[in-house]
Amino acid sequence: MTRVWAERGSRPPAPRDQRREWAYIFGAICPHRDIGAALVLPYANAQAMNLHLDEISSQVTQGSHAVLLLDRAGWHQTGGKLRVPKNISLLHLPPYSPELNPAENIWQFLRQNHFSNRVFESYTDIVDACCAAWNALIEEPKRIASIATRGWASVIA
């Protein structure tokens, strides 16, 4: 659900789905290069995170090293189950600090602009909507940079 414009005191209709099928967008962004890497997966666990780390690693510029900011989600800290590629370092943010994670603004943007007030007919439609939303974000020049740039997270040359 999200906010919508409506006359004060009214209750605008909004669809709500009570089914329980999920797809997870595992996404990472680089505001400096204005790019992102993502996978849409059926589960959020260490195995899925390992697939995502491999995808991120493939997008890191040859000869460079990426620092990946992570919150404290269970699949980000799985006690030795993560296989971290050599060109990536993980930096866990302090607990209860989503404002430090630029990706949180990306998720908010996607929810507000692509997923809110929608009901999907099937699981395939959910996956298709996730892929379309991520691709729309990636294809819009400077969108990632405008949403996720942080002064404290600058590139070291």
Side-chain angles (χ1 to χ4, degrees):
M1 302 302 285
T2 189
R3 297 176 188 263
V4 296
W5 287 99
E7 186 176 326
R8 184 178 292 273
S10 70
R11 292 184 62 100
R16 180 173 285 226
D17 195 353
Q18 301 297 319
R19 294 173 291 178
R20 297 286 186 249
E21 288 187 295
W22 302 90
Y24 297 86
I25 302 176
F26 279 74
I29 48 146
C30 177
H32 178 71
R33 292 176 52 210
D34 199 36
I35 64 165
L39 297 172
V40 178
L41 300 168
Y43 301 103
N45 56 24
Q47 181 182 4
M49 187 64 188
N50 284 328
L51 293 172
H52 184 50
L53 288 171
D54 290 341
E55 177 64 21
I56 295 167
S57 176
S58 74
Q59 300 299 316
V60 175
T61 303
Q62 181 113 15
S64 295
H65 193 86
V67 175
L68 184 60
L69 296 176
L70 299 169
D71 59 18
R72 300 290 176 156
W75 53 90
H76 293 164
Q77 48 186 349
T78 58
K81 292 181 183 176
L82 292 183
R83 295 183 317 271
V84 182
K86 293 183 182 193
N87 62 345
I88 296 175
S89 291
L90 304 182
L91 176 60
H92 286 89
L93 295 170
Y96 308 107
S97 58
E99 69 280 0
L100 295 177
N101 190 348
E104 293 297 331
N105 297 97
I106 295 293
W107 304 135
Q108 180 182 2
F109 174 82
L110 292 176
R111 278 191 300 271
Q112 288 177 339
N113 294 284
H114 295 279
F115 301 127
S116 63
N117 298 321
R118 293 182 65 186
V119 174
F120 301 99
E121 291 296 319
S122 68
Y123 181 76
T124 302
D125 291 340
I126 295 170
V127 171
D128 290 345
C130 290
C131 293
W134 186 265
N135 289 335
L137 172 75
I138 297 301
E139 291 170 2
E140 193 170 347
K142 303 296 179 194
R143 174 64 75 185
I144 292 171
S146 71
I147 295 173
T149 298
R150 299 291 186 276
W152 57 264
S154 59
V155 173
I156 299 171

